[in-house]
Amino acid sequence: PMIYDVNLPTFAGCDYGFTNPFDFLVMQVDADDNVRVVYEYRATQRSVEENVAALKPKVSQMHIRRCWYDPSSPETGKVLNQNGIPAMPAENALGDGIEEVRRKLKIRDTGASLFIDPSCEDLIRELRSYRYPQTRDGQPQKDNPAKINDHGPDTLRYMLMGLKRQSMGISEIRTTGVKRETSILDEIYT
């Protein structure tokens, strides 16, 4: 299992649900641009306030720098911010977000750059079942994935797109040497 490392920058993502799950993930990013999902919270039949109160004791110790939440639920962002979890609406570009998740999962010569702690069982289960619906002739319909069991993948997508948007990717700084405006991650790795 992966253990939370107090020395790594920590970020989160949140997908609101009441009947469907409220999903909250915590990830850390190391100096090699590896993303480690280290914590998952999930519940149904609870308000945003109840969910944040339930997860707050655990995540308050994690020093979350930013939480990206489902932009269709501004109330979620408001409650997170009121409870000391700095939150902003996520980028909700479905196709770009799925590509970013794929990019992080793709095995490179140095291995994959996305790691998920085995305790994040719901995220792992949903990623394994995340599919595009099929057309009548059995081909995948690539417009939008099936809207079932997608809360963990959506939350992961929000986090990865938020991190990409916020920092333009740690590895780009190292490989291109291009100087740009300071991001959250520059403070740690420069």
Side-chain angles (χ1 to χ4, degrees):
M2 285 175 261
I3 298 172
Y4 169 78
D5 183 339
V6 70
N7 298 309
L8 294 177
T10 305
F11 303 93
C14 184
D15 189 24
Y16 173 74
F18 184 82
T19 303
N20 288 317
F22 176 99
D23 192 76
F24 190 91
L25 298 173
V26 176
M27 71 174 176
Q28 295 194 289
V29 183
D30 68 22
D32 294 322
D33 200 20
N34 294 311
V35 172
R36 304 169 356 156
V37 180
V38 296
Y39 175 73
E40 174 182 57
Y41 168 88
R42 181 173 284 213
T44 58
Q45 305 298 312
R46 290 182 168 179
S47 68
V48 174
E49 292 82 5
E50 290 171 313
N51 281 305
V52 172
L55 65 87
K56 190 175 176 181
K58 174 80 172 181
V59 301
S60 65
Q61 306 301 311
M62 294 183 166
H63 309 290
I64 293 171
R65 292 170 178 260
R66 174 84 62 225
C67 176
W68 293 280
Y69 62 89
D70 181 347
S72 68
S73 178
E75 178 67 19
T76 299
K78 180 180 173 186
V79 173
L80 289 166
N81 281 306
Q82 289 172 341
N83 283 276
I85 302 170
M88 66 183 300
E91 167 119 11
N92 204 11
L94 185 63
D96 291 344
I98 291 171
E99 278 309 307
E100 185 62 12
V101 172
R102 281 187 184 139
R103 186 181 74 77
K104 292 302 241 177
L105 284 170
K106 186 176 180 181
I107 302 296
R108 305 178 300 210
D109 54 340
T110 57
S113 60
L114 174 61
F115 304 92
I116 302 169
D117 188 88
S119 69
C120 301
E121 294 174 0
D122 290 314
L123 173 61
I124 293 167
R125 177 183 47 77
E126 288 183 349
L127 283 170
R128 286 182 174 151
S129 67
Y130 200 61
R131 301 276 185 272
Y132 289 98
Q134 291 186 347
T135 60
R136 284 186 222 151
D137 62 355
Q139 298 300 312
Q141 184 179 358
K142 293 273 185 163
D143 295 336
N144 291 311
K147 285 296 296 169
I148 53 170
N149 298 321
D150 63 348
H151 298 281
D154 282 351
T155 306
L156 180 62
R157 180 171 53 85
Y158 298 153
M159 289 190 310
L160 293 179
M161 287 301 290
L163 186 63
K164 181 177 180 179
R165 182 175 67 184
Q166 184 72 36
S167 67
M168 294 174 50
I170 299 166
S171 59
E172 287 183 21
I173 298 169
R174 290 207 180 82
T175 58
T176 64
V178 173
K179 203 67 177 154
R180 56 177 172 58
E181 291 184 30
T182 302
S183 76
I184 289 173
L185 299 176
D186 290 334
E187 300 166 14
I188 296 159
Y189 297 119
T190 55

